[in-house]
Structures are given as C-alpha cells and as structure tokens.
Amino acid sequence: MRVSRQVERRTLLKAAGASLASLGVAAAGCGGGSGSSSGGAVTIRYAWWGADDRAKRINETIDLFEKKHPKIKVKTDFQPYEDFWKKFNTQAAGGNPPDVIQNAVTFLRKYGGRNVLMDLKPQVQSGELSTEGFRSGLEKFAEIDGKLLGLPVASNSMAYIIDEKVYEKAGVTPEFGWTWDDWLAGMERIRSRTGVAGETGPHSIMYYYDLVLRQKGKAFFTEDGLGFSKSDLETEWAEAVKRIKSGLYTDPKKVEQIKPKSATAAGLSAGEFTWDNFTVRYDSEGKSSYGIAPIPTTDGSKTGQYLGSLMLSGTARTKHPKEVATFINFMVHDPEVGRIMGYDRGVLATTKQFEAFEPTDKVSKQISEYEKQIAEKGVLETITPHPAGADVIEAAFLRVATEVSLDKASPGEAVEKFFSEAETAFTANS
C-alpha cells in the first residue's frame, strides 16, 4: 500500500496543495464525465496511485468486474503518488476528473469542500451501494459533514516496528499496556547493551504525534485547525533534540543518507513508528527479524489508535453515478477481489474480503493478527477528519522537524515556523 514511512509521507507531503485553489465552483455539480462505448456499454474511468504490482492486481479485479458486469467498461489510469495528485488536480480544475479515484483521508475535506467528490449516500439509500459488513466501523471512515465521500478498501493502524533480535539481546519485551516510561527505559537498555539507538526518531511523523496527543485528550487536527499549542510541540521537539544528542535516537544525518531505506531495516535503530502494513518492507530491506509491537501509552490503556484507510471515491461530475456505485460496491465487497488484492493496500476492510483472503506469509499474518488484537483490546477510536490543507501541513511538519533534527533550527524557532505555515495553509484552503 505504501513504500516507506518517509517516502510515503513525502509523497503525501507535496501532492495536492498548489493547484487546488483553482478548482472552486468549476468542479461542482454535474456536467462532463465519461462517455459510453459502442454497443450501449457505459465506460467509467478509474484512477489510482501505486506501483506495477498493484496495477497488475487491480487490472485483474477489473477483468473480473467486467465479466460480471458486461455493460460497464472500466478505463484505468495509474501513476506514482505525487504524479497522481498533480494529474487529478489538473483534471478536476478542468472539469473532467475520473469517475472513481483511490483516495485518502488527508484529501477528503479538501476535495469534498469544493464539491469535487460525489456524496455516495443516495446510492446507499437506493440499494446500489452497501455499507454493511465493514470491520471495526470502517464504513463511517469517510463521512464528512453529513456526506459519504468514499468507502474503504483496506485498513491500517499505527504500530511500533521492532528489530526482534536487538530487543531479545537487550532483554526488552514490549507488551500491551507498556507506558512511555517503559519504552524510554527499554531504549536506554538497548543502547547500553547493544550499542544500537533505541529509535529512529519519531518526532517528524505527524501520525506518531497525533497518537501522543490523543492519549492526552487532544489531537493533531480538529475539524478546522490544529488541536495543540505551540508549547505542546516545543516540548516534544526539545525532548527529541536531547534524545538525539544522547544517542537514544539515530543520528539524523545517517538517517538522511540511507533514505529511502528504513533506519531500523538498516540496523541503525531498534524500532520505529509506522503504519502496520509497512511491515512488509522490513523483511525485504533488512537482515534481521522484525515484529509489530504495541503502541506505548500514557496511562497503560489508551493508545490513541484508530484504523486509517485507503478508499474509493466517486467524483461529483460523473454522468454515471449508478455505475460508479456498482463498481465501488463490487470492489469493496466481492470475496474474489479480496483474494486477488490481499494486503496490498492494508488489511481488507470488509468481513467478506477479510475472510476470503488467507495470508500465508509471515508478514501478512503478523499484520492481520495485530489488527485483530487492537480491535479485541478495545483501543480503537474514531479518527478526526483532517481539515482542508492537512496535506500541506503534514509536509511542513516533516520538513520543519527534520530541520530541528539536523540542528538547522532550534525547537522554538521551528515551532514558530510550523505554526506560521499551518496558518497560511488553512487560509489558502478556507
């Protein structure tokens, strides 16, 4: 589903901000859209981002769809992540977006607020689209301001990926309910017993900081702004600088040098926060054994976690809302689609697809078991939909935090810069 926490964040980082302001009312309402092919068959356009392997799987699912729905043809387009959003911005601004797109929570309010995305609720009410059978409340993931702007195809959650051999050598055993104090003590023990930094350095990851805030009753975002203060963030970044200097966090210069490879896979750290479905990259990049550890907590119980998801969204300008609904419904519910896609985009979102796919490899089994565990533990909460401009703000967070890591700005200077850029982003997208 994603390549790496740094590369994927950077991609999430740059993409849809610059040209979106041009969308405005030009993207609203009904109008252009897909035409019909010969023989009376309707043609819809479906666009997504990803690599060749995902394209191969998706094309296989489309072949299956067209066999079962011969009067609906699907024209496909896929791009690398950043190129996808640049192209989509251009298409939407010109009034000719694809009928269906792969989407992410960062962009829901941005495009939903400009009426680029289709409200799927009428299709649910007409019976053309089902919101039944989703795992852990995922059917509500894309509900924004009373509209249903997408349906999830898969889920993931933040996790802590560890080098199991390093943890075993240091005698540290993460367990559900361990606290941040336990985590810090574990890093210190790892550093002293193995010489490996305990952590890559999570302070540039927006979703890690969101967990920290949610455990304290706050969140990174509210519905229309930031959910924390300057002093909150300065405290976080000042502590990160101390841990870098003490060797508990990996030398940031080394982290930059090995990108896009993960620091944990490279043996530079014992663990790092990332999405659980990224686990697949560690076995392919590294030479150790890697596992998914629970998120540390403030009080021993509240982790602040939620299920994130990629989703399928229709666009408001489509001439074929019924066919769009039929396509999305098939892609999120059909068991054979689940067997074909596997965990390419995360753990399958609907029960039918989840049960249809039986993972055989170690990594997929780990991911599946982890999501079962956090659901059973009852720690999952509801994500706050990101406000418009969230993608630009996430980019700023990563960039400014990296400047702190590399000693190019003090924590106080960096916080002022970040809040200023966030205010600009909110203003530009209001």
Side-chain angles (χ1 to χ4, degrees):
M1 175 179 174
R2 299 181 173 93
V3 182
S4 82
R5 71 174 187 168
Q6 297 293 352
V7 171
E8 177 72 9
R9 293 279 71 83
R10 272 205 191 102
T11 332
L12 206 62
L13 311 179
K14 300 176 183 175
S19 62
L20 188 62
S22 64
L23 297 182
V25 295
C30 299
S34 307
S36 298
S37 63
S38 60
V42 167
T43 298
I44 61 174
R45 293 156 53 213
Y46 171 36
W48 74 92
W49 67 85
D52 289 342
D53 182 61
R54 179 176 296 174
K56 180 180 178 181
R57 292 173 187 267
I58 287 179
N59 285 329
E60 190 175 344
T61 67
I62 289 172
D63 288 342
L64 182 65
F65 173 79
E66 291 183 337
K67 286 179 181 178
K68 294 189 177 183
H69 299 275
K71 291 189 177 182
I72 306 175
K73 303 302 179 184
V74 183
K75 183 178 180 180
T76 65
D77 182 25
F78 85 99
Q79 309 282 336
Y81 188 93
E82 185 176 351
D83 294 338
F84 170 89
W85 286 111
K86 287 179 179 178
K87 185 173 183 178
F88 181 71
N89 284 336
T90 301
Q91 292 171 324
N96 189 35
D99 298 276
V100 180
I101 64 166
Q102 182 175 283
N103 204 354
V105 67
T106 314
F107 303 100
L108 285 177
R109 283 192 182 277
K110 171 169 279 191
Y111 291 111
R114 289 171 169 79
N115 298 315
V116 176
L117 301 180
M118 173 182 173
D119 181 6
L120 296 172
K121 280 194 173 181
Q123 279 63 47
V124 174
Q125 292 164 356
S126 68
E128 294 160 359
L129 188 63
S130 174
T131 56
E132 300 296 322
F134 281 85
R135 298 171 41 246
S136 304
L138 281 167
E139 72 278 1
K140 296 183 180 298
F141 185 77
E143 283 192 3
I144 304 291
D145 299 331
K147 296 180 180 180
L148 181 63
L149 301 181
L151 281 181
V153 293
S155 69
N156 50 25
S157 185
M158 286 297 289
Y160 194 57
I161 310 303
I162 61 170
D163 185 321
E164 293 175 321
K165 292 182 179 179
V166 172
Y167 264 74
E168 183 179 356
K169 184 177 180 179
V172 179
T173 305
E175 297 177 344
F176 274 97
W178 69 326
T179 66
W180 292 108
D181 288 340
D182 297 330
W183 174 69
L184 181 59
M187 288 197 296
E188 291 170 341
R189 188 167 184 172
I190 287 167
R191 179 64 176 165
S192 64
R193 292 194 175 190
T194 70
V196 177
E199 229 287 344
T200 300
H203 50 286
S204 64
I205 305 170
M206 186 183 82
Y207 291 98
Y208 151 80
Y209 191 46
D210 190 32
L211 292 180
V212 172
L213 291 166
R214 289 168 72 91
Q215 290 183 20
K216 299 176 181 178
K218 300 182 180 182
F220 195 98
F221 289 119
T222 64
E223 291 187 359
D224 56 5
L226 298 176
F228 58 96
S229 68
K230 291 180 180 180
S231 61
D232 290 330
L233 184 55
E234 184 170 357
T235 298
E236 176 70 28
W237 281 350
E239 183 60 35
V241 170
K242 292 179 182 178
R243 293 176 183 178
I244 290 169
K245 291 179 178 179
S246 70
L248 287 181
Y249 289 172
T250 307
D251 181 345
K253 293 179 181 178
K254 293 181 179 180
V255 175
E256 292 295 315
Q257 288 169 358
I258 64 165
K259 287 179 180 178
K261 191 172 186 178
S262 151
T264 297
L268 297 178
S269 69
E272 56 193 22
F273 291 88
T274 189
W275 295 102
D276 58 12
N277 62 303
F278 286 4
T279 310
V280 64
R281 70 179 297 231
Y282 293 86
D283 279 340
S284 63
E285 288 184 353
K287 298 179 180 179
S288 189
S289 174
Y290 307 95
I292 307 177
I295 298 295
T297 69
T298 300
D299 61 3
S301 59
K302 182 179 175 67
T303 66
Q305 287 173 277
Y306 47 80
L307 291 182
S309 178
L310 287 183
M311 69 198 77
L312 297 183
S313 295
T315 56
R317 275 190 172 269
T318 182
K319 290 183 176 180
H320 308 296
K322 181 177 179 180
E323 288 79 8
V324 164
T326 299
F327 178 74
I328 292 176
N329 199 67
F330 182 84
M331 289 298 173
V332 300
H333 289 288
D334 186 89
E336 184 59 25
V337 170
R339 283 189 283 269
I340 293 169
M341 293 305 303
Y343 290 170
D344 175 78
R345 296 173 295 195
V347 178
L348 295 156
T350 56
T351 302
K352 283 184 179 179
Q353 291 192 350
F354 179 78
E355 293 177 348
F357 175 70
E358 297 181 4
T360 56
D361 63 288
K362 171 193 169 185
V363 175
S364 292
K365 287 180 177 179
Q366 279 184 324
I367 296 168
S368 178
E369 184 58 30
Y370 178 72
E371 291 208 4
K372 286 180 182 178
Q373 285 180 338
I374 59 178
E376 290 169 358
K377 293 287 183 181
V379 300
L380 292 173
E381 303 173 6
T382 302
I383 185 174
T384 302
H386 296 181
D391 56 318
V392 178
I393 291 166
E394 184 180 1
F397 191 82
L398 172 59
R399 174 172 39 79
V400 175
T402 301
E403 292 175 2
V404 173
S405 299
L406 297 172
D407 202 26
K408 293 181 179 180
S410 70
E413 292 169 340
V415 167
E416 292 295 333
K417 182 176 182 179
F418 170 72
F419 268 74
S420 176
E421 292 192 24
E423 183 178 355
T424 300
F426 286 134
T427 300
N429 286 278
S430 60

